[in-house]
Amino acid sequence: MEKPHVVVLFGATGDLARRKLLPGLLRLFEAGLLRDAKIVGTSLEDIGTEQFAKIARDGCEEFGKGDIDDARWAPFGAMLSYVPQSAGPHALAQEVERVEAELPGETADKRRLHYLSVPPKAALDVIHQLQDAGLVERSRIIMEKPFGTDLESAQRLNHEVHQVFDESQVFRIDHFLGKEAAQNILAFRFANGLFEPIWNRNFIDHVQIDVPETLGLEGRTKFYETTGAYRDMVVTHLMQVLAFMAMEPPTSLAPGPISDEKLKVFRSMRPIEPQNVVRGQYAGYRGKDVVADDSDTETFVALKVEIDNWRWAGVPFFLRTGKKLAEGARIISIAFKEPPLTMFPKGSNVGTQGPDHLTFDLADQSRMSLSFYGKRPGPGMTLDKMSMQFATHDTSAAGSVLEAYERLIHDAMRGDHTLFTTAAGIEELWAKSMPLLDHPAPVRSYQPGSWGPNAIHQLIAPHAWRLPFERSWRDTSHTTTTTNP
């Protein structure tokens, strides 16, 4: 953190704040990345600073790392204060100015970070509240997804936000891109002469970005009725990961050039047509108080994305995500084209376990693996699928890994837009989504605990989904000969 900061946390008593944001701020503080800072919480709860500090400590104890005793909590707890929304914007401004005066340095060198952990419909109210409170100067804001629900609403939202904040002050958060493994894609692609020359349509057959979830929509059904899986997950998360996978080499790893290359990917995408999409809804979703009996809201979506440029023409990108599926995972799988295999004798096993794959696991314990065929020891030419893997938690720097929200909050404090989405990028994605949104594919039922509607196999044919993996990841904490994906 380069400058002293006041972090204003809207929705400070909510679920996201308790689970991720407050434990994340504690971690940043203890890592020495949040030293000269104050945290002002605000929400609809009519409580005081002492009660807020207790909520914060309970959240950090439940969802943070390690035991928290009084000695550990005291320095972080001293950074907290609280102003209820009922006190109005000027009371919030007074508190921000009060704690800001306690920070070292000149006022002009101090920064404010406003985290809008509020429902999307409340975001504009908060922005206007910040304007009324005079808290726009020297400020940056972090906004949660979804950013609009279609092209028109995204344009309108961007226009209203830009009436108060300059685009350089706005950080639209996507926690997928904050994960160590997502950034490793950039390092893997652009730092290695082994892979960058083959990262194109001449060598790659197809790509899968697969994010199934086992959880349902407990407590979020009303939100989902106005959103659905495509708006909730694909535009905000999966497409952003796709851009990292598909973009051209930027002139530097600075925020501007990376954002430019991501936008070029979105502009090169063909419009998302309904025939390239499978929408699903798990059995039992309907029948709740907030769900119509004939609801066609999708809790599952799989689609084929085509990028019509020199690097990727003819290479399909298959995206899948959904609720109440068989497993929870976050993987990117790159399938390489197969060489001619006619030289191998019958029974050699070559090609029987699919093509060579490079796999990125975006889970918190991030991993990568490269699978390939090799000869089985012994007489004859019998081949087995083998793999090499790398796991972040195996390295000496494993303790330095920041979780997604921790990294993104820190990046926003430093003004680094690399891992955030831009207004132009969001609007371009909504524009490419409009054929699907105007004429949605039919919703197909699927059973909880399955992998989605059967139509997903026709969507990806003649290829096959990698999940479920034919083998589990190797457990690197034990010596074993089991191969991973």
Side-chain angles (χ1 to χ4, degrees):
M1 193 176 72
E2 298 171 356
K3 309 256 186 197
H5 265 76
V6 177
V7 179
V8 183
L9 184 54
F10 290 85
T13 58
D15 191 58
L16 178 62
R18 289 179 60 253
R19 287 176 174 270
K20 294 293 185 181
L21 306 183
L22 289 162
L25 290 167
L26 172 61
R27 175 84 194 283
L28 289 174
F29 171 71
E30 293 183 334
L33 301 173
L34 191 70
R35 285 201 175 118
D36 296 326
K38 297 288 185 179
I39 300 166
V40 179
T42 181
S43 76
L44 298 176
E45 298 285 332
D46 199 6
I47 58 176
T49 294
E50 187 176 338
Q51 290 167 288
F52 171 59
K54 184 180 186 311
I55 291 171
R57 179 167 178 172
D58 289 345
C60 291
E61 286 178 347
E62 185 174 357
F63 301 107
K65 295 180 179 177
D67 295 329
I68 297 178
D69 56 22
D70 290 345
R72 180 185 173 190
W73 178 255
F76 182 74
M79 297 166 60
L80 304 176
S81 63
Y82 183 86
V83 179
Q85 283 285 292
S86 59
H90 297 295
L92 179 63
Q94 287 176 349
E95 180 61 16
V96 170
E97 290 166 2
R98 183 188 72 79
V99 299
E100 193 173 63
E102 297 177 2
L103 296 174
E106 299 294 325
T107 300
D109 292 329
K110 298 173 185 178
R111 295 289 179 265
R112 299 156 179 171
L113 180 69
H114 307 300
Y115 197 118
L116 278 57
S117 178
V118 298
K121 63 183 180 182
L124 281 178
D125 291 339
V126 172
I127 285 170
H128 293 308
Q129 181 184 353
L130 290 169
Q131 185 179 32
D132 293 342
L135 294 175
V136 175
E137 186 184 5
R138 297 182 281 112
S139 290
R140 300 181 177 112
I141 60 168
I142 297 179
M143 300 186 70
E144 281 284 340
K145 69 174 181 74
F147 204 84
T149 56
D150 56 20
L151 177 58
E152 183 182 354
S153 63
Q155 289 174 329
R156 187 169 61 248
L157 182 55
N158 278 327
H159 176 74
E160 291 204 41
V161 169
H162 290 157
Q163 296 300 304
V164 180
F165 288 94
D166 183 78
E167 176 66 13
S168 65
Q169 296 176 278
V170 182
F171 292 75
R172 298 168 189 82
I173 196 166
D174 173 13
H175 69 270
F176 268 48
L177 293 188
K179 293 182 178 297
E180 196 76 30
Q183 295 165 80
N184 218 359
I185 296 169
L186 297 180
F188 197 87
R189 282 190 59 185
F190 300 128
N192 294 294
L194 177 63
F195 288 101
E196 179 53 25
I198 62 171
W199 209 267
N200 57 58
R201 59 190 169 91
N202 297 320
F203 298 95
I204 291 178
D205 185 73
H206 69 279
V207 177
Q208 295 178 33
I209 301 174
D210 211 348
V211 187
E213 297 181 85
T214 57
L215 295 176
L217 288 164
E218 296 75 12
R220 298 184 71 220
T221 309
K222 186 175 181 180
F223 163 75
Y224 238 64
E225 271 297 281
T226 60
T227 309
Y230 185 84
R231 289 178 171 93
D232 181 44
M233 291 291 293
V234 175
V235 175
T236 49
H237 293 326
L238 275 64
M239 290 294 193
Q240 304 302 326
V241 174
L242 180 149
F244 267 32
M245 280 291 307
M247 72 184 195
E248 295 296 318
T251 54
S252 74
L253 290 180
I258 287 179
S259 295
D260 291 344
E261 296 305 334
K262 287 170 61 181
L263 181 57
K264 289 178 188 176
V265 172
F266 300 147
R267 287 174 173 163
S268 299
M269 281 170 44
R270 291 184 179 178
I272 309 299
E273 301 289 348
Q275 64 266 25
N276 289 330
V277 179
V278 175
R279 297 168 69 231
Q281 185 186 90
Y282 62 75
Y285 174 80
R286 296 176 183 173
K288 297 179 175 64
D289 291 342
V290 294
V291 181
D293 291 340
D294 60 349
S295 170
D296 69 345
T297 299
E298 78 279 1
T299 61
F300 170 97
V301 64
L303 62 151
K304 179 169 73 172
V305 176
E306 298 169 290
I307 302 173
D308 202 4
N309 62 17
W310 282 88
R311 184 180 288 265
W312 296 113
V315 178
F317 287 71
F318 297 101
L319 281 54
R320 177 173 64 170
T321 187
K323 306 293 183 182
K324 289 202 174 183
L325 297 179
E327 293 178 19
R330 297 168 182 173
I331 70 134
I332 304 168
S333 182
I334 298 107
F336 293 100
K337 290 185 175 179
E338 292 186 289
L341 302 174
T342 53
M343 70 183 76
F344 290 93
K346 269 190 174 183
S348 66
N349 212 30
V350 67
T352 59
Q353 297 180 57
D356 299 343
H357 279 93
L358 176 64
T359 304
F360 293 87
D361 186 340
L362 303 186
D364 291 333
Q365 296 283 3
S366 62
R367 295 170 288 201
M368 294 187 303
S369 78
L370 178 64
S371 66
F372 51 89
Y373 287 95
K375 183 183 177 301
R376 182 188 299 171
M381 180 58 75
T382 303
L383 279 67
D384 281 333
K385 202 73 175 288
M386 303 176 179
S387 69
M388 296 184 291
Q389 74 166 293
F390 161 80
T392 302
H393 54 279
D394 283 344
T395 69
S396 59
S400 302
V401 174
L402 294 177
E403 290 190 359
Y405 281 101
E406 297 165 0
R407 177 183 305 280
L408 292 170
I409 291 170
H410 185 240
D411 282 355
M413 285 180 168
R414 297 186 300 115
D416 187 341
H417 276 88
T418 303
L419 302 176
F420 296 85
T421 56
T422 63
I426 287 288
E427 290 179 14
E428 187 66 35
L429 283 173
W430 284 125
K432 293 299 170 69
S433 301
M434 290 315 296
L436 173 66
L437 299 181
D438 288 339
H439 304 283
V443 166
R444 305 165 188 266
S445 181
Y446 65 95
Q447 290 300 313
S450 69
W451 285 99
N454 288 332
I456 60 172
H457 302 298
Q458 286 78 52
L459 175 70
I460 203 171
H463 315 294
W465 293 100
R466 294 236 38 229
L467 290 176
F469 284 136
E470 66 275 10
R471 296 175 301 279
S472 61
W473 285 90
R474 182 168 60 85
D475 183 355
T476 54
S477 63
H478 299 89
T479 302
T480 176
T481 57
T482 304
T483 55
N484 72 338

